[in-house]
Amino acid sequence: MHVQFYLIAFLLSSLFFNLSFATYGVDVSQATSSSSFSCMVSNGYSFAIIRCYQSNGRVDSNAVSTVSHAWSGGMKYVDVYMFPCPTCGNAKQQVTDAVNNLRNNGAKYGMFWLDIEGTQYWYSSQSTNRQFATDLANQAEAMGQVVGVYTSKSQWDPIMGSWSGLSKYALWYPHYDGSASFSDFVAFGGWTKPSIKQYQGDVTLCSSGVDKNYY
């Protein structure tokens, strides 16, 4: 009887711990107002990840203002992510352009995430892709960025193969199962545990298009 009681108490306390320390956030790829971010904060979201570079090989012109709006809207943490253009060439210059656009305009942010997805954006050669990704990460680090990687097993494997060359960086992975939990995670690319999960994509929240995230 006592054993059963303690087991139930333990399970309830574990559940309470997990719920209490779950952190929810959003990522956005379009201009988002401070009022929308304020609404998100009121609904329990505390971090935002803003696109700073586009797959067409250009800096995102909305990045600086959207980062500022995230802060003024009350977000506790604000990161940026870069969607590179491998076939545009010159990975180092792409990173330089993305970072300088943010720096020169006074944007304040935490991590700099590299978005690796979409086989249509990458080369058919995995060795070429690996070198491009390495150049992205090395240049970002050289510019003082705290690097992370956004990708999934289904995207990583055809683009990079069994390569684990970026596994020293934090992993943010998508799996649209609607579950704010890491219980679904399967190791790949050298990563054995994730840092963030994107669990729901392309939804409207506080009149803005977002993806929902958890850690």
Side-chain angles (χ1 to χ4, degrees):
M1 182 68 175
H2 287 118
V3 172
Q4 185 178 34
F5 172 80
Y6 287 125
L7 177 59
I8 293 172
F10 171 76
L11 291 174
L12 288 175
S13 64
S14 297
L15 176 62
F16 177 76
F17 179 86
N18 290 332
L19 291 174
S20 298
F21 289 90
T23 303
Y24 299 91
V26 299
D27 65 89
V28 300
S29 58
Q30 58 190 352
T32 306
S33 67
S34 58
S35 60
S36 287
F37 282 120
S38 179
C39 170
M40 295 175 201
V41 170
S42 297
N43 281 277
Y45 297 85
S46 60
F47 70 91
I49 308 177
I50 316 301
R51 187 180 67 183
C52 69
Y53 198 87
Q54 303 174 93
S55 59
N56 61 6
R58 300 177 182 175
V59 298
D60 191 325
S61 60
N62 296 313
V64 172
S65 60
T66 302
V67 166
S68 176
H69 292 162
W71 287 120
S72 62
M75 287 291 177
K76 292 182 179 179
Y77 311 101
V78 181
D79 292 350
V80 297
Y81 76 91
M82 174 183 185
F83 201 133
C85 178
T87 56
C88 296
N90 204 336
K92 294 179 180 180
Q93 189 61 52
Q94 290 186 41
V95 172
T96 299
D97 291 344
V99 173
N100 282 344
N101 179 59
L102 296 164
R103 281 181 175 170
N104 294 343
N105 289 286
K108 305 297 182 184
Y109 56 95
M111 292 189 65
F112 187 89
W113 297 90
L114 301 174
D115 188 337
I116 298 177
E117 63 176 320
T119 55
Q120 68 272 30
Y121 300 111
W122 291 79
Y123 295 97
S124 58
S125 167
Q126 292 180 345
S127 61
T128 301
N129 292 337
R130 293 171 182 179
Q131 186 59 58
F132 189 88
T134 298
D135 290 344
L136 289 173
N138 287 348
Q139 182 64 14
E141 281 199 290
M143 297 187 75
Q145 305 301 290
V146 180
V147 177
V149 177
Y150 171 92
T151 193
S152 66
K153 179 175 174 57
S154 65
Q155 298 296 317
W156 183 266
D157 286 354
I159 295 171
M160 301 294 179
S162 59
W163 188 57
S164 59
L166 299 186
S167 61
K168 69 176 183 178
Y169 303 113
L171 174 67
W172 167 25
Y173 77 105
H175 182 203
Y176 297 161
D177 60 355
S179 175
S181 165
F182 293 147
S183 61
D184 61 303
F185 180 72
V186 176
F188 71 95
W191 288 287
T192 56
K193 64 179 181 179
S195 295
I196 302 177
K197 176 183 177 180
Q198 186 183 75
Y199 66 91
Q200 192 172 8
D202 299 324
V203 299
T204 299
L205 178 65
C206 296
S207 302
S208 296
V210 307
D211 301 319
K212 293 183 178 182
N213 299 275
Y214 151 90
Y215 66 79

